[in-house]
């Protein structure tokens, strides 16, 4: 019988990964605040980047679309769940 891998998705991440995750969270928080106050359709990427204090280019480095700010994490979570279920 083979060894069972008991590691969770808790492996230490590098500084770059932690920084990227922190910046994504800051952009998401600024965007969600605007979406809740102004409505998703009424909020532009320009408003999000101004509220987050970043450039448009930086926004698109972290998110492909405005919709990804809301749905991007759900898609990644779904991929991880599917991979774990397939592994089992």
């Amino acid at each position: 019988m083979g060894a069972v891998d008991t590691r969770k998705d808790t492996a230490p991440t590098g500084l770059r990964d932690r920084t990227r995750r922190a910046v994504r969270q800051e952009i998401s928080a600024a965007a969600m605040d605007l979406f809740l106050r102004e409505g998703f359709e009424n909020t532009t990427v320009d408003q999000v980047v101004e509220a987050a204090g970043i450039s448009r280019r930086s926004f698109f480095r972290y998110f492909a679309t405005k919709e990804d700010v809301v749905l991007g994490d759900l898609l990644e979570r779904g991929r991880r769940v599917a991979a774990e279920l397939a592994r089992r």
Side-chain angles (χ1 to χ4, degrees):
M1 196 182 264
V4 176
D5 184 0
T6 58
R7 291 178 296 164
K8 301 287 184 216
D9 194 20
T10 58
T13 57
L15 178 59
R16 181 178 290 181
D17 290 335
R18 292 191 315 266
T19 301
R20 183 169 179 78
R21 195 170 27 249
V23 171
R24 279 183 63 92
Q25 288 173 347
E26 286 183 30
I27 296 168
S28 292
M32 293 305 289
D33 182 56
L34 286 167
F35 297 158
L36 292 172
R37 283 189 292 124
E38 306 295 331
F40 180 82
E41 292 297 325
N42 295 328
T43 302
T44 66
V45 169
D46 288 332
Q47 290 171 306
V48 173
V49 301
E50 183 178 331
I54 61 169
S55 67
R56 283 180 61 85
R57 186 174 191 178
S58 291
F59 176 89
F60 289 112
R61 189 174 298 134
Y62 291 93
F63 299 98
T65 66
K66 181 173 79 168
E67 289 79 3
D68 285 344
V69 174
V70 177
L71 301 175
D73 188 45
L74 294 176
L75 294 173
E76 180 55 34
R77 244 186 249 175
R79 286 186 194 109
R80 289 193 315 255
V81 168
E84 181 62 24
L85 290 172
R87 186 184 70 76
R88 290 181 182 185

